């Protein structure tokens, strides 16, 4: 279903009652409503970035809920849709920080380099943000963070906004590095997201620890 090492790491989760209940709920929602991302893309974050390959985690809350946007990676949308404001601000900060201009919306190339683009809730009903909140996804993804925290090889955790920052309690391993700031949404980007330089700080930490940098 997902990448090889993740299958092993997450096997205990798949056997738990909460995950079975979540699976029943999600299947029913997809059968009876329009949900995003498409069913086959729900676990894309784990397909593109295996456990041992994770260098960076960028944590989002739940998928974009507009038609054709979400494809299973936090903050990333398909190239053929209008760029959401949060992603637009992320790419503005990227240019300001490291001078990179990205023409498309998809961040799949980041994922393939070791950036786990993880939403806390992995599914959503069309035009209804947070509609699958509190159904079990958070238990699953909080445990994903715990499994990553257990890893000895350093990881950069990028936490944007108060929701993502609330997950800091699961990141206790001193080998890892936390970058936190305001959320990139238009409501808060000017209150500490712009100028926070997450991309150069990430690469500086990776380089210092003998890990190859991300080509943003």
């Amino acid at each position: 279903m997902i990448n090889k090492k993740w299958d092993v790491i997450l096997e205990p989760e798949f056997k738990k009652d909460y995950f079975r209940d979540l699976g029943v709920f999600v299947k029913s929602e997809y059968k009876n409503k329009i949900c995003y991302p498409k069913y086959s893309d729900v676990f894309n974050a784990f397909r593109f970035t295996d456990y041992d390959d994770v260098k960076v985690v960028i944590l989002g809350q739940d998928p974009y809920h507009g038609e054709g946007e979400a494809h299973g990676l936090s903050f990333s949308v398909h190239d053929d849709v209008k760029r959401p404001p949060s992603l637009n601000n992320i790419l503005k900060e990227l240019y300001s920080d490291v001078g990179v201009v990205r023409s498309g919306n998809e961040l799949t190339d980041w994922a393939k380099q070791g950036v786990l683009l993880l939403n806390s809730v992995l599914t959503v009903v069309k035009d209804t943000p947070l509609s699958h909140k509190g159904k079990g996804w958070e238990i699953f993804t909080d445990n994903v963070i715990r499994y990553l925290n257990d890893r000895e090889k350093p990881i950069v955790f990028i936490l944007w906004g108060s929701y993502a920052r609330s997950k800091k309690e699961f990141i206790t391993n001193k080998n890892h590095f936390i970058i936190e700031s305001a959320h990139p949404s238009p409501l808060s980007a000017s209150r500490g997201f712009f100028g926070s330089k997450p991309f150069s700080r990430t690469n500086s930490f990776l380089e210092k620890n003998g890990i190859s940098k991300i080509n943003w």
Side-chain angles (χ1 to χ4, degrees), residues 201-216:
R201 289 167 68 198
T202 292
N203 276 348
S204 175
F205 177 83
L206 293 175
E207 208 168 22
K208 209 182 300 177
N209 284 276
I211 301 167
S212 59
K213 298 188 292 185
I214 306 298
N215 179 10
W216 301 108

Side-chain angles (χ1 to χ4, degrees), residues 30 34-38 41 62-73 75-85 105 119 122-131:
Y30 272 76
I34 298 172
C35 298
Y36 299 126
K38 67 180 184 182
D41 286 346
D62 72 336
Y64 291 114
H65 50 83
E67 186 174 350
E69 293 180 327
H71 63 114
L73 304 176
F75 296 105
S76 179
V77 299
H78 285 299
D79 285 336
D80 58 356
V81 298
K82 186 181 177 187
R83 182 178 290 170
N105 298 328
N119 279 315
L122 298 188
T123 55
V124 70
V125 175
K126 182 179 190 282
D127 299 330
T128 317
L130 301 176
S131 44

Side-chain angles (χ1 to χ4, degrees), residues 155-202:
I155 297 170
V156 179
F157 289 87
I158 298 178
L159 309 178
W160 289 327
S162 57
Y163 181 82
R165 292 164 89 170
S166 73
K167 306 297 181 179
K168 197 164 57 166
E169 63 178 302
F170 307 126
I171 309 163
T172 56
N173 186 335
K174 300 299 182 199
N175 292 348
H176 306 317
F177 180 50
I178 298 172
I179 294 174
E180 53 183 315
S181 74
H183 195 275
S185 94
L187 296 172
S188 55
S190 59
R191 299 204 298 267
F193 174 74
F194 288 135
S196 61
K197 300 187 179 300
F199 307 101
S200 58
R201 289 167 68 198
T202 292

Side-chain angles (χ1 to χ4, degrees), residues 59-63 74-75 118-122 130 133 138 163-164 183:
L59 192 66
Q61 189 160 3
D62 72 336
S74 64
F75 296 105
L118 180 68
N119 279 315
S120 189
V121 176
L122 298 188
L130 301 176
K133 181 184 176 190
E138 296 94 334
Y163 181 82
H183 195 275

